[in-house]
Amino acid sequence: YKLIVQPKYPSYGYHVLRGARTLPEHFYELGAEGWQQKDGTRHDSLNHHFWGDVSAWLICYVAGLKINPNADDCNYVEISPNFISALTFAEGEFIHEKGKITTRWERTDEAIRLRICLPYGIRARLVLPQNYESDCLVKGDDCATRNIYPLFDNSNEGATQVYEVICKAITE
């Protein structure tokens, strides 16, 4: 996360602070004259998503939405958000053949509110960061650690199931 947002080279933040609204083809350190390298060579492309895209990382590791993480069941989702302290919220979505799957977490004064939306036929497991737990979910017998919660199984045909989870830091 810090590499993405830091204001100095190399980072996405470095280019955004210099006016970038698209992803350049290469991460050159820029010269004083704008969109050129320090030696004066101009960038090849200023709209080139091919070499880098942080959106997948943000969706999978910050919002925590991992579709088919074991590559064996396209109807299984792992929800494993990372509550980065510098952020007040994160959200991600995936358009699945069965419907839209979404996660969103947001900080409140006391806790983090996590919202998970699963279309019919999608199963999911919630894995909270090591130092978080939720009192509003019952954990399965197969959970080896206190931050892993059993599968949500949306078998309500034709409906999207919404789960609201309050996550609190563990203080022991």
Side-chain angles (χ1 to χ4, degrees):
Y1 171 78
K2 288 180 181 178
L3 180 62
I4 294 169
V5 300
Q6 73 180 357
K8 61 184 182 180
Y9 173 82
S11 76
Y12 289 91
Y14 172 82
H15 288 327
V16 168
L17 287 174
R18 282 152 185 79
R21 297 297 174 258
T22 59
L23 182 64
E25 183 173 1
H26 298 286
F27 267 64
Y28 299 127
E29 190 168 9
L30 301 176
E33 299 299 318
W35 287 100
Q36 60 190 18
Q37 298 174 51
K38 282 189 164 187
D39 68 2
T41 306
R42 303 239 354 124
H43 266 284
D44 299 329
S45 170
L46 296 177
N47 187 10
H48 203 89
H49 61 86
F50 177 74
W51 288 115
D53 181 7
V54 297
S55 64
W57 180 82
L58 292 167
I59 291 167
C60 290
Y61 295 98
V62 180
L65 182 56
K66 297 175 183 165
I67 309 297
N68 191 11
N70 303 318
D72 61 355
D73 184 352
C74 64
N75 294 322
Y76 171 73
V77 178
E78 182 177 285
I79 310 294
S80 53
N82 286 289
F83 307 134
I84 296 173
S85 61
L87 300 178
T88 58
F89 78 95
E91 60 188 345
E93 69 178 45
F94 180 81
I95 306 300
H96 191 279
E97 67 181 11
K98 295 185 180 292
K100 187 189 296 186
I101 303 168
T102 63
T103 64
R104 177 183 169 85
W105 62 261
E106 184 172 355
R107 290 186 189 285
T108 66
D109 289 338
E110 305 83 35
I112 294 179
R113 182 175 302 277
L114 174 63
R115 180 181 173 96
I116 302 166
C117 297
L118 302 174
Y120 168 71
I122 298 296
R123 293 179 332 285
R125 181 175 79 152
L126 174 62
V127 180
L128 294 177
Q130 286 295 332
N131 55 337
Y132 281 86
E133 67 180 352
S134 178
D135 293 335
C136 63
L137 293 173
V138 177
K139 294 165 47 126
D141 293 334
D142 62 342
C143 296
T145 60
R146 65 190 296 178
N147 64 319
I148 299 176
Y149 296 86
L151 291 173
F152 299 106
D153 188 0
N154 183 4
S155 56
N156 187 4
E157 188 168 355
T160 295
Q161 189 70 37
V162 178
Y163 301 92
E164 296 278 349
V165 181
I166 304 300
C167 308
K168 295 190 176 188
I170 298 170
T171 54
E172 293 183 32

